[in-house]
Amino acid sequence: MRTLVDGVGRPAAIRRTERTIAAHRFPETVLRTENLTLRAFTPEDIEDTRAACSDELTQRWLPLPWPYTAEHATAWCTEIAPALRESGDGIHFAVAARSGGRLLGTVGLKKTDWRAQVSEVGYWVAPWARGRGIATEATAALACWLLGDQGFQRMELKAAVENAASQRVAVKAGLDYEGTMRNAGFVHGGRTDLRLYSATRPIDSTGGTGRSGDRADFDPGA
């Protein structure tokens, strides 16, 4: 069987598939819940991003650069987060109070498989905003948007096995526990097993219990 090859020496069918996948990206979007606004990052978020990502608890569960400098925060808010959406990898929201004010955290989608219609959620909450159920509310809203408006089939969440608080967020947001992925993640302390959670249908945007007042102590996870 003859294989058609395009001008750069790769099979034409593979090149067409790659171009099709690359053309996919999530739309620029603002999401609002009862208490929160999920929006794009702006230069005004740089200092809060630097402070939150320098926090000891954030650093414990996320393999972020250390020390986390103003240069890192500037690159994330103005270049990296927008580029990840443009590339089709996912979309990353700054989380703020619905009434406005400073950055409270972030929630986003990454490692998106457009052919399989699967994406992975990740998040952190700033130290000054923890204990208010922000991670639960933002994650539930993102699942509702992804599996409803965007027509995806599956959203995954992975949390280090030691990160019990992040696992509680997953359950409160309406995701189901599926099992443990052995040696599948890494943090500053080394390799770690990950607990896998998923949602495969639109869920109540207030979380798994359907009560907007649910609270969750939060460790920034997975």
Side-chain angles (χ1 to χ4, degrees):
M1 180 183 297
R2 186 166 65 105
T3 301
L4 295 176
V5 178
D6 67 6
V8 293
R10 303 189 66 189
I14 293 176
R15 295 285 295 181
R16 285 195 299 271
T17 299
E18 290 175 344
R19 285 194 295 267
T20 298
I21 295 172
H24 287 291
R25 62 179 62 89
F26 291 113
E28 292 183 325
T29 304
V30 176
L31 304 178
R32 292 183 175 85
T33 70
E34 181 179 352
N35 301 300
L36 303 173
T37 296
L38 281 59
R39 56 165 176 78
F41 279 90
T42 72
E44 286 70 32
D45 299 315
I46 291 172
E47 176 52 30
D48 282 341
T49 297
R50 185 208 61 77
C53 291
S54 297
D55 174 69
E56 181 180 358
L57 194 56
T58 308
Q59 285 281 333
R60 179 182 179 186
W61 297 119
L62 296 177
L64 298 168
W66 179 259
Y68 195 91
T69 66
E71 288 74 18
H72 291 123
T74 299
W76 173 259
C77 293
T78 64
E79 299 175 21
I80 298 173
L84 288 171
R85 189 192 71 83
E86 287 292 330
S87 73
D89 179 78
I91 186 169
H92 296 269
F93 294 95
V95 179
R98 188 178 176 102
S99 58
R102 72 185 299 188
L103 182 72
L104 302 179
T106 182
V107 67
L109 298 169
K110 58 185 178 180
K111 302 176 183 177
T112 303
D113 185 333
W114 289 93
R115 295 183 71 184
Q117 297 288 277
V118 176
S119 194
E120 179 182 340
V121 63
Y123 48 80
W124 52 254
V125 171
W128 52 86
R130 292 176 187 149
R132 294 159 51 183
I134 289 168
T136 299
E137 189 170 338
T139 299
L142 190 56
C144 187
W145 178 75
L146 178 71
L147 301 173
D149 295 351
Q150 299 304 304
F152 267 57
Q153 298 300 309
R154 177 179 171 89
M155 187 180 81
E156 297 181 343
L157 186 154
K158 300 169 185 176
V161 292
E162 299 89 355
N163 191 350
S166 192
Q167 295 165 41
R168 290 195 296 270
V169 168
V171 174
K172 285 175 177 271
L175 282 74
D176 298 316
Y177 174 62
E178 292 193 350
T180 299
M181 303 170 65
R182 301 299 182 191
N183 200 34
F186 66 95
V187 294
H188 288 295
R191 302 294 304 185
T192 182
D193 294 347
L194 298 177
R195 296 275 171 81
L196 175 63
Y197 297 82
S198 72
T200 57
R201 60 188 183 280
I203 58 179
D204 190 309
S205 62
T206 59
T209 63
R211 297 192 300 271
S212 61
D214 281 352
R215 294 166 60 89
D217 295 327
F218 179 71
D219 286 351

